[in-house]
Amino acid sequence: MKPKRHYNKSVYRSLALVMQLGFDMLVPICLMTAFGIFLDRKLGTSFLVILLFFAGALAGAQNVYRLARKIMETDEDHEKKEREKKDEDK
């Protein structure tokens, strides 16, 4: 019989976070680029795809910043609660 392995949940959480950061960056870029290509074909222009690509990149960067900031605040709150709990135990 094989022994059960106990995996650290933080590894899975970190992997999920990295994937979420990637999706938060790539989805707006892809959507805005596709919309730019569509508009360029409909309107007969050739510059909207570039503008919308950069707009998507800015939106993706903003998404990543918001998520990172939320994670940092959550970690700080968690550490603060642990310190308070240790102080109560003393």
Side-chain angles (χ1 to χ4, degrees):
M1 188 175 232
K2 292 183 181 180
K4 292 184 179 180
R5 294 183 182 177
H6 296 285
Y7 293 107
N8 192 352
K9 289 183 181 180
S10 66
V11 173
Y12 292 121
R13 287 183 183 151
S14 298
L15 181 60
L17 176 64
V18 168
M19 290 178 66
Q20 185 175 3
L21 288 170
F23 283 128
D24 281 352
M25 189 69 190
L26 287 177
V27 169
I29 292 173
C30 292
L31 289 176
M32 293 299 281
T33 302
F35 187 61
I37 291 169
F38 171 76
L39 284 178
D40 276 343
R41 288 183 181 165
K42 285 289 186 187
L43 301 174
T45 59
S46 62
F47 65 92
L48 290 176
V49 68
I50 296 168
L51 293 176
L52 291 177
F53 171 83
F54 285 113
L58 287 173
Q62 186 178 20
N63 288 342
V64 169
Y65 174 76
R66 286 180 182 169
L67 181 62
R69 193 167 170 195
K70 181 180 174 183
I71 291 167
M72 292 298 291
E73 289 173 357
T74 304
D75 287 345
E76 289 173 0
D77 290 343
H78 182 67
E79 289 175 5
K80 184 178 178 182
K81 287 179 183 178
E82 284 183 359
R83 275 188 251 124
E84 289 174 355
K85 189 176 180 180
K86 285 181 183 178
D87 290 342
E88 289 175 1
D89 291 341
K90 288 183 180 182

